[in-house]
């Protein structure tokens, strides 16, 4: 049964919003989607101007820098993600993991399918791993940048900026287990106030020097980029900071829909960002020193403390969105078989995206605080910030080229032209950010390499285990015939055997019969398949085949955004007329202990050891499938890989 071609059900969070509530969804999107990109004005222009190396600014440098920022927002965010990427959705879901799942099958052809799938998977995993590197830096640089405004108010506050940042970050991660459903409703209005404030501050700065609006002409940016030599090229690493968070627009499409995100971007976020950057540049042209924080220079001194408070709240909202995004992407990776099962807590019954994963939360907290203590200042963290995001966007561009041709069906020449432009821009940013390698850019790359390595080890280990288990499977008709010949008694009750295979005798059932010399009167073999779509329609959830009298095989399908739940599936089986007693069900699951093969032909020893550790620390199958613990029999066995 092919579920990939079936229409997926609407995500619960999206379906809850009636049509016509686009404005309300756009407001909600402000608090989740645009937090990261919306707090970039706190540090971007300051870092760009400082990277120029000039102590005294000139008109060409300021207008050139501002023009590059404006057109980066247009090309990367408005065109690439809003206009193109958001047309490519996996049944409503976006983001690099959903895109990888959508394209990983490739086209049918002479050997092309496997090659295409391998390329897509490698690119998708690399991009997903890099997002984790970005996720631990965003809270640190955002909160630090907001609190550094205290030093402008009074230098006596400066020693307290770092400790205050640590306290805020610790509290941010500590509240994650409780969920954010209650305060989450305030995120949208808070960010609306933030963006309006950005725009008003920018207008005040532009009033001082309206000539700065000439930077809308891309010629200023191109002239500065090509006439300034290597220095001008390297400032692209700072310019890129203005679009960190742009990938979130695509990733969160499934939560809010395409139109609310587009509306929020074009009517609120984009104009307010451009006004604020232009206002900062106008002040610099008017005489504000590069060494000063150009963002806070826009604010009247008597309003500085309220602005710092608002900026800090906005950065907390942005950090919360990044953390929630890491939880969501981890769930997708688990469902698609790239990470081991982890304990996932649903923190709200109203929002599907409101989940909590403890291992991810505490790991991010330790790494984020470690980075904050190591780099100490936002300017230092900026060196490590851009490389992960720019590399992720480059991975997106490669996948978008395939999607434009195969999914959207666009003309190959148009697809190549658009993708080529995106790839050139992304490569320029990656190269510029790579120049910061010794200054800290290696940190997110190392984190991404660790995550990608663990993903690959887990996936390879699962395939090796599956290969061993499949080799042990027996044809079902032979097994049933043997039961009748040997007179194995059938005892009252219903046995449910969880299996990884679509056919054959589950090894856990064969072991059970061999050692207990009996089998239940009614047997249901359950195979759960996670499909490369986010949600599966309820009518396509279950397919039941009759193998023999009172012996059925249930094929259960879930999307990678759904959590399997087996007891309701059994209720559905009974509703379809299959004679099972729901009050007398025993679940049988297998738990493998991985050992090395004696012939030395299995996985490399180091890989087998890492996989074994991950497998031992994975969440229980009972929890993953929501099985009632008092009705589960777990059977252990060794698997040599």
């Amino acid at each position: 049964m092919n579920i990939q071609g079936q229409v997926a059900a609407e995500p619960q969070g999206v379906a809850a919003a009636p049509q016509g509530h686009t404005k309300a969804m756009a407001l909600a999107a402000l608090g989740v989607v645009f937090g990261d990109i919306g707090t970039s004005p706190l540090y971007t222009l300051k870092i760009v101007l400082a990277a120029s190396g000039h102590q005294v600014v000139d008109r060409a440098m300021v207008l050139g820098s501002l023009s590059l920022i404006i057109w980066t927002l247009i090309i990367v965010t408005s065109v690439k993600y809003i206009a193109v990427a958001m047309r490519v959705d996996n049944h409503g879901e976006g983001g690099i993991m959903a895109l990888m799942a959508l394209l990983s099958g490739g086209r049918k052809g002479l050997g092309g399918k496997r090659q295409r799938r391998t390329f897509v998977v490698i690119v998708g995993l690399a991009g997903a791993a890099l997002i984790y590197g970005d996720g631990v830096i965003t809270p640190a640089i955002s909160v630090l940048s907001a609190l550094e405004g205290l030093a402008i108010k009074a230098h006596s506050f400066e020693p307290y900026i770092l400790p205050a940042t640590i306290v805020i970050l610790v509290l941010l991660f500590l509240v994650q287990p409780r969920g954010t459903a209650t305060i989450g409703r305030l995120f949208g209005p808070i960010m609306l106030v933030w963006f309006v404030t950005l725009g008003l501050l920018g207008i005040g700065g532009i009033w001082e020097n309206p000539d700065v609006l000439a930077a809308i002409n891309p010629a200023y940016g191109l002239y500065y980029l090509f006439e300034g030599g290597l220095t001008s090229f390297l400032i692209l690493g700072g310019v890129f900071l203005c679009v960190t968070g742009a990938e979130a627009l695509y990733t969160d499409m499934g939560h809010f829909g395409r139109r609310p995100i587009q509306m929020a971007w074009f009517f609120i976020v984009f104009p307010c960002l451009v006004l604020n950057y232009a206002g900062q540049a106008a002040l610099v042209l008017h005489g504000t020193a590069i060494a000063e924080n150009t963002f806070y220079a826009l604010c009247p001194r008597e309003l500085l403390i309220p602005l710092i408070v608002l900026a800090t709240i906005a950065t907390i909202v942005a950090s919360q969105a990044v953390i929630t995004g890491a939880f969501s992407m981890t769930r997708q990776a688990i469902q698609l078989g790239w990470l081991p099962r982890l304990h996932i807590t649903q923190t709200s019954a109203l929002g599907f995206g409101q989940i909590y994963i403890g291992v991810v939360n505490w790991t991010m907290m330790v790494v984020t605080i470690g980075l904050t203590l190591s780099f100490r200042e936002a300017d230092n963290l900026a060196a490590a910030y851009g490389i992960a995001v720019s590399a992720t966007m480059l991975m997106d561009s490669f996948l978008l080229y395939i999607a434009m041709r195969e999914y959207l069906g666009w003309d190959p020449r148009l697809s190549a032209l658009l993708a080529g432009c995106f790839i050139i821009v992304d490569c320029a940013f990656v190269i510029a950010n790579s120049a910061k390698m010794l200054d800290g850019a290696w940190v997110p790359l190392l984190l991404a390499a660790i995550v990608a390595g663990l993903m690959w080890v887990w996936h390879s280990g699962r395939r090796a285990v599956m290969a061993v288990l499949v080799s042990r499977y027996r044809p079902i008709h032979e097994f049933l015939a043997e039961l009748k010949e040997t007179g194995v008694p059938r005892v009252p009750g219903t046995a449910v055997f969880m299996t990884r295979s679509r056919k054959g005798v589950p090894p856990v059932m064969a072991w059970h019969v061999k050692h207990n010399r009996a089998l239940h009167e009614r047997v249901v073999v359950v195979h759960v398949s996670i499909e490369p779509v986010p949600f599966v329609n309820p009518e396509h959830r279950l397919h039941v085949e009759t193998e023999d009298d009172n012996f059925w095989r249930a094929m259960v399908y879930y999307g990678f955004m759904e959590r399997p739940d087996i007891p309701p599936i059994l209720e559905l089986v009974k509703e379809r007329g299959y004679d099972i007693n729901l009050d007398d069900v025993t679940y049988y699951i297998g738990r493998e202990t991985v050992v090395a093969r004696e012939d030395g032909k299995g996985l490399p020893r180091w890989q087998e050891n890492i996989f074994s550790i991950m497998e031992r620390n994975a969440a229980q199958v009972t929890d993953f499938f929501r099985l009632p613990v008092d009705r589960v029999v777990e059977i252990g066995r060794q698997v040599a890989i």
Side-chain angles (χ1 to χ4, degrees):
M1 184 176 182
N2 182 16
I3 295 297
Q4 297 184 35
Q6 307 292 350
V7 179
E10 285 287 347
Q12 295 173 11
V14 176
Q19 191 172 8
H21 284 194
T22 304
K23 293 181 180 179
M25 294 298 290
L27 177 62
L30 286 178
V32 176
V33 178
F34 298 101
D36 193 356
I37 198 171
T39 52
S40 296
L42 284 165
Y43 46 80
T44 298
L45 187 64
K46 173 190 173 186
I47 290 170
V48 170
L49 296 177
S52 67
H54 297 291
Q55 298 300 319
V56 180
V57 299
D58 57 50
R59 178 182 171 84
M61 183 185 81
V62 176
L63 293 183
S65 299
L66 176 60
S67 182
L68 288 172
I69 290 174
I70 292 173
W71 281 94
T72 297
L73 287 169
I74 293 173
I75 295 172
V76 174
T77 310
S78 298
V79 178
K80 177 180 174 180
Y81 283 105
I82 294 290
V84 178
M86 293 187 74
R87 293 175 180 268
V88 184
D89 64 280
N90 191 337
H91 296 284
E93 289 293 323
I96 196 163
M97 289 296 289
L99 187 58
M100 181 188 77
L102 178 68
L103 303 176
S104 59
R107 279 181 169 177
K108 296 181 179 180
L110 296 175
K113 180 175 181 179
R114 187 63 185 174
Q115 294 175 357
R116 173 63 55 80
R117 182 184 184 278
T118 301
F119 171 78
V120 169
V121 168
I122 291 174
V123 170
L125 287 183
L130 286 162
I131 291 176
Y132 285 101
D134 165 47
V136 295
I137 299 177
T138 295
I141 190 173
S142 300
V143 177
L144 262 178
S145 299
L147 293 180
E148 283 175 356
L150 292 171
I152 299 175
K153 183 67 176 178
H155 288 293
S156 58
F157 286 131
E158 195 164 350
Y160 303 102
I161 292 175
L162 184 61
T165 300
I166 298 300
V167 170
I168 290 174
L169 291 174
V170 169
L171 291 175
L172 176 65
F173 286 101
L174 285 178
V175 301
Q176 296 305 313
R178 299 181 178 271
T180 58
T182 303
I183 63 173
R185 287 190 286 268
L186 300 176
F187 287 173
I190 288 172
M191 293 307 294
L192 178 61
V193 173
W194 170 251
F195 283 114
V196 171
T197 302
L198 289 182
L200 293 175
L201 290 175
I203 291 172
I206 294 170
W207 188 265
E208 299 291 337
N209 196 332
D211 291 346
V212 76
L213 294 177
I216 296 175
N217 185 346
Y220 285 94
L222 294 173
Y223 176 82
Y224 180 56
L225 185 62
F226 291 107
E227 292 296 324
L230 181 62
T231 300
S232 296
F233 177 77
L234 292 180
I235 71 162
L236 287 177
V239 170
F240 181 76
L241 297 177
C242 74
V243 288
T244 54
E247 216 265 349
L249 279 67
Y250 184 38
T251 302
D252 289 316
M253 182 171 61
H255 294 103
F256 301 98
R258 181 191 307 169
R259 287 186 58 80
I261 293 176
Q262 292 173 334
M263 176 182 290
W265 171 254
F266 286 115
F267 289 99
I268 300 174
V269 180
F270 178 63
C272 290
L273 289 177
V274 171
L275 286 172
N276 194 266
Y277 284 122
Q280 293 185 48
L283 285 191
V284 174
L285 283 179
H286 197 63
T288 300
I290 293 180
E292 291 189 34
N293 189 309
T294 54
F295 174 79
Y296 285 113
L298 288 171
C299 182
R301 199 164 186 84
E302 59 272 15
L303 297 177
L304 189 59
I305 293 299
L307 179 61
I308 293 172
V309 172
L310 177 60
T312 303
I313 295 173
T315 57
I316 291 173
V317 173
S319 302
Q320 175 61 52
V322 169
I323 296 170
T324 302
F327 293 160
S328 180
M329 191 171 67
T330 301
R331 174 169 59 185
Q332 293 181 33
I334 292 171
Q335 298 288 64
L336 292 171
W338 290 100
L339 282 176
R341 297 180 304 274
L342 300 175
H343 183 69
I344 300 175
T345 302
Q346 193 77 33
T347 58
S348 170
L350 301 177
F352 181 79
Q354 291 286 335
I355 61 173
Y356 168 73
I357 304 178
V359 173
V360 176
N361 185 65
W362 303 126
T363 302
M364 289 183 69
M365 186 185 79
V366 170
V367 176
T368 299
I369 292 175
L371 290 174
T372 306
L373 292 172
S374 299
F375 289 88
R376 306 184 70 83
E377 295 181 5
D379 288 5
N380 298 333
L381 272 168
Y385 194 27
I387 186 67
V389 191
S390 58
T392 300
M393 290 184 177
L394 179 60
M395 302 298 105
D396 282 338
S397 294
F398 285 126
L399 296 184
L400 283 176
Y401 170 65
I402 300 173
M404 282 186 279
R405 293 192 59 185
E406 299 184 3
Y407 181 82
L408 297 177
W410 289 1
D411 183 272
R413 290 168 296 183
L414 175 62
S415 301
L417 177 62
L418 272 176
C421 291
F422 296 152
I423 291 171
I424 289 172
V425 171
D426 291 334
C427 283
F429 285 128
V430 170
I431 294 171
N433 279 294
S434 298
K436 308 174 188 176
M437 199 64 68
L438 297 179
D439 297 324
W442 60 271
V443 173
L445 295 182
L446 176 62
L447 294 173
I450 293 173
V451 172
L454 291 176
M455 285 181 171
W456 194 261
V457 166
W458 176 255
H459 190 71
S460 300
R462 284 183 75 250
R463 290 180 60 184
V465 169
M466 191 62 192
V468 173
L469 295 181
V470 168
S471 68
R472 298 177 180 176
Y473 285 145
R474 297 174 55 193
I476 194 71
H477 65 276
E478 292 183 4
F479 178 77
L480 294 176
E482 183 177 313
L483 290 184
K484 295 176 181 178
E485 290 177 5
T486 56
V488 172
R490 304 293 291 268
V491 298
T494 301
V496 176
F497 293 93
M498 306 299 300
T499 179
R500 300 185 186 186
S501 176
R502 295 174 179 267
K503 57 183 66 176
V505 180
V508 66
M509 184 166 68
W511 189 97
H512 168 70
V513 171
K514 177 180 179 181
H515 292 276
N516 294 313
R517 296 180 175 82
L519 185 64
H520 289 70
E521 185 179 5
R522 295 171 177 82
V523 175
V524 182
V525 176
V526 177
H527 169 76
V528 175
S529 177
I530 306 297
E531 299 298 315
V533 294
F535 297 86
V536 171
N537 274 327
E539 59 264 31
H540 303 302
R541 177 80 66 206
L542 174 66
H543 176 67
V544 182
E545 298 176 354
T546 300
E547 302 276 8
D548 196 43
D549 292 340
N550 295 332
F551 194 113
W552 306 281
R553 183 179 299 271
M555 311 295 289
V556 188
Y557 301 92
Y558 289 98
F560 59 78
M561 291 290 289
E562 298 178 285
R563 182 179 176 184
D565 192 357
I566 299 304
I569 294 296
L570 293 185
E571 295 177 5
L572 185 58
V573 171
K574 185 170 182 62
E575 288 176 7
R576 292 189 179 182
Y578 297 95
D579 185 21
I580 60 175
N581 184 0
L582 297 177
D583 296 326
D584 189 14
V585 173
T586 303
Y587 297 89
Y588 290 87
I589 60 176
R591 185 173 183 87
E592 297 85 18
T593 300
V594 175
V595 297
R597 287 178 54 165
E598 296 181 356
D599 58 8
K601 295 181 180 180
L603 295 177
R605 181 59 61 91
W606 65 268
Q607 190 172 341
E608 183 268 325
N609 289 336
I610 295 175
F611 175 77
S612 180
I613 293 172
M614 296 173 73
E615 201 272 339
R616 286 198 303 270
N617 289 279
Q620 296 289 331
V621 176
T622 304
D623 296 332
F624 186 74
F625 291 120
R626 300 189 187 186
L627 304 178
V629 293
D630 57 341
R631 294 189 177 187
V632 174
V633 175
E634 187 174 285
I635 298 175
R637 58 229 172 140
Q638 285 191 341
V639 178
I641 60 171

